[in-house]
Structures are given as structure tokens and as C-alpha cells.
Amino acid sequence: MAKALGRQGGRARAKRLSAGERRRIAALGGHARRQSLVAAGRIADNFRYLAAADSLRGTTTTVTRERAADGRLPGLYPGRR
């Protein structure tokens, strides 16, 4: 019943509006729907990107802590021995 009364009130208000104003209100609904679809597409793109990044990440390496190195660190001194 409330839905029917709400619809009746909306139609009564629409009768008072000009054709241009009704068109503008309808266009606002269309623009909101378009923005919603674009946002949903962007969210889906982000999740696809996340899945690709996760698959490329590989495995983690374990690092052991040492107090001091017993020589030069590998890869820090290119061209020198």
C-alpha cells in the first residue's frame, strides 16, 4: 500500500513539473546508472590486476640474520674484486 501511495505522490509531482524538468530528472538517473557501471568495471579491473600481480610475485626468500659478514657482500662492488 505504501508503495502505491508513493507512486501516486510521485506521479502527482510529475504532473506539476515541466517536460524539460522531467527529462532532466530522468537524465540524472541515467547518469547515475552510468557512473555505477563504470565504477563496477574499474573495481573488476583492479581485482584482475591484483590477481596478475599475485601470480607474478613468486616465493619469498628467507633471510638469516648475521652479526657480521666474513667478507665482501655479493653484488655491491661491480667491477672490483
Side-chain angles (χ1 to χ4, degrees):
M1 184 170 161
K3 189 174 181 181
L5 288 174
R7 187 181 309 120
Q8 185 179 4
R11 287 184 177 173
R13 190 184 89 227
K15 286 180 184 177
R16 292 192 305 269
L17 295 174
S18 68
E21 191 64 16
R22 286 195 304 268
R23 207 173 301 121
R24 185 187 72 80
I25 291 171
L28 287 174
H31 291 306
R33 175 150 169 79
R34 171 79 173 136
Q35 284 180 332
S36 173
L37 293 173
V38 167
R42 286 184 179 177
I43 290 169
D45 288 343
N46 286 343
F47 278 112
R48 279 193 295 273
Y49 177 81
L50 177 66
D54 280 344
S55 68
L56 293 174
R57 181 178 297 139
T59 59
T60 59
T61 57
T62 57
V63 177
T64 58
R65 184 178 178 95
E66 294 188 16
R67 281 225 167 272
D70 54 338
R72 290 176 176 252
L73 297 176
L76 289 182
Y77 309 102
R80 288 177 27 179
R81 288 189 169 184

